[in-house]
């Protein structure tokens, strides 16, 4: 039953950080390996897919920048989507206004004026 315990939220954040870091290290390793074997990649792609070797060199060389750009576009689009589909909570608004009135009454008893 130890595996079914509730996971601490701080540990969940740490696990996400470690996963992101691991994927980043793996990506950088693959990118460096592809830079070292660039001539072989250019030959293979020019023969099999008829891609110009200069195009292959540009794509492989600037791959980290493309990845960062795509990650930024993904982050922006996900934030915009969440903002656009954010739900309205009328019950929470009523509850919050009630709590504000309670706080005003307590503060008025202590001498604060509104």
């Amino acid at each position: 039953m130890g595996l079914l315990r509730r996971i601490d939220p701080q540990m969940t954040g740490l696990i996400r950080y470690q996963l992101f870091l691991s994927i980043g290290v793996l990506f950088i390793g693959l990118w460096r390996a592809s830079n070292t074997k660039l001539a072989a990649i250019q030959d293979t792609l020019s023969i099999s897919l008829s891609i110009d070797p200069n195009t292959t060199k540009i794509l492989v060389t600037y791959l980290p920048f493309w990845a960062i750009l795509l990650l930024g576009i993904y982050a922006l689009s996900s934030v915009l989507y969440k903002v656009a589909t954010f739900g309205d909570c009328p019950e929470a608004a009523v509850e919050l206004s009630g709590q504000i009135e309670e706080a005003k009454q307590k503060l008025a008893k202590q001498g604060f004026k509104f």
Side-chain angles (χ1 to χ4, degrees):
M1 287 301 217
L3 295 175
L4 299 177
R5 286 185 303 180
R6 186 171 169 224
I7 297 176
D8 184 23
Q10 290 178 344
M11 290 303 292
T12 304
L14 182 62
I15 291 170
R16 287 181 185 162
Y17 170 74
Q18 288 172 340
L19 180 64
F20 183 75
L21 186 63
S22 300
I23 291 171
V25 167
L26 178 67
F27 176 76
I28 290 173
L30 289 173
W31 175 68
R32 286 184 52 120
S34 63
N35 267 339
T36 14
K37 302 290 183 179
L38 186 58
I41 293 172
Q42 286 174 332
D43 292 340
T44 304
L45 290 178
S46 65
I47 292 170
S48 63
L49 299 176
S50 301
I51 296 177
D52 183 36
N54 290 331
T55 305
T56 305
K57 181 178 180 182
I58 290 171
L59 288 175
V60 170
T61 303
Y62 295 109
L63 191 61
F65 300 113
W66 291 111
I68 291 171
L69 180 70
L70 289 175
L71 184 64
I73 291 170
Y74 168 74
L76 181 65
S77 63
S78 65
V79 167
L80 289 176
Y81 174 75
K82 294 292 183 180
V83 168
T85 60
F86 186 75
D88 195 16
C89 303
E91 302 89 19
V94 170
E95 181 183 349
L96 182 60
S97 61
Q99 290 175 353
I100 290 172
E101 289 302 319
E102 285 179 31
K104 282 183 179 180
Q105 290 173 1
K106 288 181 182 178
L107 289 173
K109 287 180 184 176
Q110 295 178 356
F112 288 94
K113 295 181 182 179
F114 296 98

